[in-house]
Amino acid sequence: MLNTPEHGGVHSSTSNSVLFEFKDAQGIIDAFQGKRAAHVYSRSSSPSVAALQNMLNDLEGGVGTLCYSTGMAAISSSLFALLKAGDHLIVSQYLFGNTRSFF
């Protein structure tokens, strides 16, 4: 796992960092190319989000978990993954907030 409690702690500490350090340029290149698991920028991943994803995955017995910072990010990512060009989606007129204008 990318994040686990260290030093025998019961809970993972939260990370307030936005950027993460690499020893050399190849380290960040490898992280961006998926050759090594690492946090690069907190909008894409962070130790705190990784800990939450790991806990939810264990709790639900899943094969993977994604956490998003906004509802629209979750909705759009799910739909982009499930729908392809030419598909139709039927939605209620009572969708929350700006979700309806997304369609």
Side-chain angles (χ1 to χ4, degrees), residues 46-80:
S46 75
S48 300
V49 174
L52 174 61
Q53 291 174 159
N54 291 337
M55 285 187 267
L56 289 172
N57 198 54
D58 290 346
L59 180 68
E60 296 295 328
V63 295
T65 301
L66 295 174
C67 293
Y68 296 93
S69 58
T70 68
M72 286 306 298
I75 290 168
S76 60
S77 293
S78 298
L79 293 177
F80 290 148

Side-chain angles (χ1 to χ4, degrees), residues 8-72:
V10 176
H11 303 285
S12 297
S13 59
T14 59
S15 172
N16 296 323
S17 184
V18 176
L19 300 172
F20 301 90
E21 182 179 13
F22 292 85
K23 292 182 181 181
D24 54 34
Q26 191 59 50
I28 196 168
I29 291 168
D30 290 346
F32 272 116
Q33 291 178 344
K35 294 178 182 174
R36 79 176 255 219
H39 303 294
V40 178
Y41 183 57
S42 65
R43 279 192 176 177
S44 57
S45 72
S46 75
S48 300
V49 174
L52 174 61
Q53 291 174 159
N54 291 337
M55 285 187 267
L56 289 172
N57 198 54
D58 290 346
L59 180 68
E60 296 295 328
V63 295
T65 301
L66 295 174
C67 293
Y68 296 93
S69 58
T70 68
M72 286 306 298

